[in-house]
Amino acid sequence: MAAFEGNRVLAHTGAKYPIIQAPMGWIARSQLASAVASAGGIGIIETSSGETDNCKAEIEKMASLTDGAFGVNLPILFLKDDAMLRYICESGVKFVTTSAGSPKKFIGPLKEAGITVYHAVPTFESALKCIEAGVDGLVVEGAEGGGFKNPEEVSTLVLLQAIRQQSDIPLVAAGGVCDGYGMAAAFAVGAEAVQMGTRFVSAVESPVHANYKNAIINAPTDGTYVLNKKSSPCIRALKTGRTASIHEEGLMPSDTFARIQDLYFGGDMEASVGLAGQSAGLIHEIKPAKQIIDETVSQFFQVAERFGSMAAGARAAAE
């Protein structure tokens, strides 16, 4: 596929397609990640849940489930010690995304182990610091995305362009992308891959309850709130009675995430906050991971071919 020739994210990961599944806590485990990897994307195993032994078991399970490309996310501020870092360095994993903090202390050990490191950045300033620290690539997280956000909302397209103006490092677009049209838009401004979270949360292979998936596919384009902007963590989540109350109050109670698994796996959408990006408003059907990836790639090439025809026509007219 000519459009992906020379793609550095594919070179770094060994994947067929430059589509990464986001590392959602408790959700991004072998059931979902192996489905994404087997479909040609890049499956990511989470460690943000803090369940070190369970996460290790999920990583080890991947080899028996798929021969596709996968990696692991290390959320720096959420790791209690260096046990997971040491394990990853000895595990044979070849691709890691880091997030939630400075990757500076992690880059040396990971690279010594032969691991490629991409860091997730929510701001232009943090991107420059990570480039200086020596990361191999960046996951650029715009304000449209779900989960933990930068309260100063800068869109994915703007953030991508700002970083690309300063560096030629490989960029992965995260936030607001759930199909090939969004992927093409991100590539047009400098991305070489996309990371999708909300789209894969609502996939057939996602382990979450049907109520959560249905809440995503039924959400309108304005179906999320940005919550807790004056404190930490700032998040984007689906509009529910619970999140409407938090939005009205302005601050998020300290026990907001105490029953997150009751929402994820029990289906109680008022038990906690259902993290999701604005792309929920573009998702209308629960589909298998393979169908999501195949359709995304097909749509991407349709747009690329249309752009190619437009460019050729404009060039001919100019001559």
Side-chain angles (χ1 to χ4, degrees):
M1 293 190 173
F4 295 142
E5 285 182 6
N7 185 291
R8 291 174 292 178
V9 176
L10 296 186
H12 281 153
T13 62
K16 183 177 182 180
Y17 303 125
I19 299 172
I20 302 175
Q21 158 249 309
M24 300 82 65
W26 287 280
I27 300 170
R29 296 199 173 179
S30 59
Q31 178 176 313
L32 176 59
S34 65
V36 171
S38 294
I42 303 147
I44 301 290
I45 299 293
E46 63 87 17
T47 62
S48 59
S49 61
E51 297 180 347
T52 302
D53 290 340
N54 288 339
C55 291
K56 287 180 179 179
E58 292 295 307
I59 294 165
E60 291 166 5
K61 197 183 296 184
M62 285 294 287
S64 65
L65 295 175
T66 182
D67 58 2
F70 77 94
V72 176
N73 173 253
L74 295 175
I76 295 160
L77 295 179
F78 295 127
L79 299 178
K80 299 173 184 176
D81 51 40
D82 65 351
M84 185 58 72
L85 172 64
R86 287 188 284 105
Y87 169 78
I88 293 301
C89 289
E90 299 168 359
S91 68
V93 168
K94 295 301 181 185
F95 181 71
V96 160
T97 62
T98 52
S99 57
S102 170
K104 203 166 185 180
K105 293 181 180 178
F106 279 49
I107 291 173
L110 289 169
K111 286 198 168 185
E112 285 175 16
I115 297 171
T116 299
V117 184
Y118 280 41
H119 189 74
V121 294
T123 68
F124 174 73
E125 291 75 17
S126 60
L128 297 185
K129 289 179 182 177
C130 290
I131 292 169
E132 186 177 349
V135 297
D136 298 297
L138 296 173
V139 179
V140 180
E141 296 187 327
E144 304 96 319
F148 297 90
K149 308 311 315 162
N150 176 37
E152 304 233 346
E153 299 175 53
V154 180
S155 75
T156 303
L157 290 181
V158 170
L159 196 53
L160 280 169
Q161 291 178 82
I163 297 169
R164 180 55 76 222
Q165 287 176 1
Q166 296 296 318
S167 174
D168 187 45
I169 196 168
L171 302 179
V172 179
V177 180
C178 66
D179 56 26
Y181 305 116
M183 181 175 173
F187 272 52
V189 295
E192 289 183 54
V194 295
Q195 177 174 282
M196 301 194 295
T198 306
R199 175 68 275 195
F200 285 124
V201 172
S202 59
V204 168
E205 296 88 351
S206 169
V208 305
H209 196 279
N211 290 354
Y212 189 9
K213 296 182 186 182
N214 288 329
I216 290 172
I217 67 172
N218 291 324
T221 52
D222 61 350
T224 62
Y225 286 122
V226 176
L227 303 173
N228 213 40
K229 291 185 70 171
K230 294 183 179 180
S231 186
S232 182
C234 175
I235 64 168
R236 185 182 291 280
L238 292 166
K239 288 183 176 179
T240 62
R242 178 78 178 266
T243 58
S245 176
I246 296 171
H247 186 260
E248 181 72 20
E249 190 70 26
L251 291 174
M252 198 159 60
S254 59
D255 65 349
T256 297
F257 290 99
R259 295 181 57 210
I260 191 69
Q261 293 191 67
D262 289 336
L263 186 153
Y264 284 175
F265 309 117
D268 183 352
M269 294 303 296
E270 300 296 334
S272 185
V273 290
L275 304 178
Q278 288 182 322
S279 64
L282 303 173
I283 300 168
H284 309 297
E285 188 179 349
I286 297 168
K287 299 178 180 180
K290 186 178 188 310
Q291 184 178 352
I292 291 170
I293 290 175
D294 287 348
E295 289 179 355
T296 296
V297 171
S298 176
Q299 290 165 352
F300 173 86
F301 278 103
Q302 287 173 23
V303 176
E305 288 168 6
R306 181 162 60 87
F307 281 175
S309 298
M310 290 169 62
R315 190 177 298 114
E319 294 171 352

